[in-house]
Amino acid sequence: MTAFNLSQFHTQKPVGQALFKTLEIYHPRIGVLRYVRDMVSQQLLIEAGAERNPGETVTFEPLLFSAPRPDQVENQQSAITVNLPRVGTNVIQLIKQIDGLDWLTPAAMIYREYLEGISGPQAIYEYSIDSINLGGMDVSLVAADENAANFRVATIYTTEEFPGLDDL
């Protein structure tokens, strides 16, 4: 079997070569969760420059999810909505562990695509989760590559500019 690169795979759809779509979700409160859109778990290599487990082969657990292939347009924000139908109470309980001030630390999500027979991810998209929507047993994650928590929206006032602050 000839191994195709990712662009060839999407244009030619070769028979016998699988595409593995994966999600890595991280928040300090719940740790790292790794899922593959497949019926069986997969041992896959994490890229050398990753924040967590660089260069290691890790297990991605099977999970039914739908996510469109992210569009990358230069100088524009990229966003993705991932739908997790019928996730069960264990995932919902993990989400509920993030409470209070924990929400000030944004959760990270990495979408990767792997091709069977090729070591390492062929596409990597890094996002910050903007919102989590719970509907019964369904979860929807909305993520973007610009993290609003990193934007400075306040002004730092100094005593040089406002001498009255010394009296506070």
Side-chain angles (χ1 to χ4, degrees):
M1 174 179 73
T2 303
F4 288 78
N5 67 34
L6 196 57
S7 62
Q8 290 171 323
F9 179 88
H10 284 293
T11 57
Q12 298 178 21
K13 306 289 187 210
V15 175
Q17 187 174 25
L19 173 69
F20 300 115
K21 294 182 177 186
T22 68
L23 292 178
E24 177 180 307
I25 299 168
Y26 173 76
H27 189 276
R29 182 71 175 212
I30 61 172
V32 179
L33 307 172
R34 291 188 175 104
Y35 300 109
V36 60
R37 195 183 81 180
D38 198 357
M39 296 311 223
V40 295
S41 62
Q42 296 291 332
Q43 296 286 319
L44 299 169
L45 179 68
I46 300 294
E47 66 276 8
E51 275 189 55
R52 291 164 291 282
N53 306 103
E56 295 180 25
T57 298
V58 299
T59 302
F60 286 80
E61 296 299 327
L63 180 70
L64 176 66
F65 66 85
S66 63
R69 187 154 199 269
D71 289 329
Q72 293 288 146
V73 179
E74 196 169 329
N75 298 324
Q76 288 187 7
Q77 180 180 15
S78 175
I80 186 171
T81 300
V82 178
N83 296 306
L84 310 166
R86 300 181 305 277
V87 294
T89 56
N90 56 341
V91 173
I92 293 173
Q93 290 304 319
L94 284 172
I95 293 170
K96 288 182 178 180
Q97 286 181 25
I98 304 171
D99 61 0
L101 294 177
D102 293 333
W103 286 109
L104 296 178
T105 303
M109 184 174 75
I110 302 173
Y111 172 92
R112 295 180 179 97
E113 291 184 350
Y114 292 83
L115 286 175
E116 184 178 31
I118 299 177
S119 181
Q122 300 301 297
I124 305 164
Y125 302 92
E126 297 185 19
Y127 297 102
S128 291
I129 296 176
D130 289 338
S131 66
I132 300 172
N133 305 307
L134 301 174
M137 297 306 279
D138 297 346
V139 175
S140 177
L141 305 173
V142 179
D145 61 0
E146 288 184 3
N147 180 0
N150 290 334
F151 294 139
R152 264 209 196 290
V153 294
T155 301
I156 298 174
Y157 295 101
T158 64
T159 54
E160 289 79 31
E161 291 178 286
F162 300 95
L165 289 174
D166 283 332
D167 299 333
L168 296 177

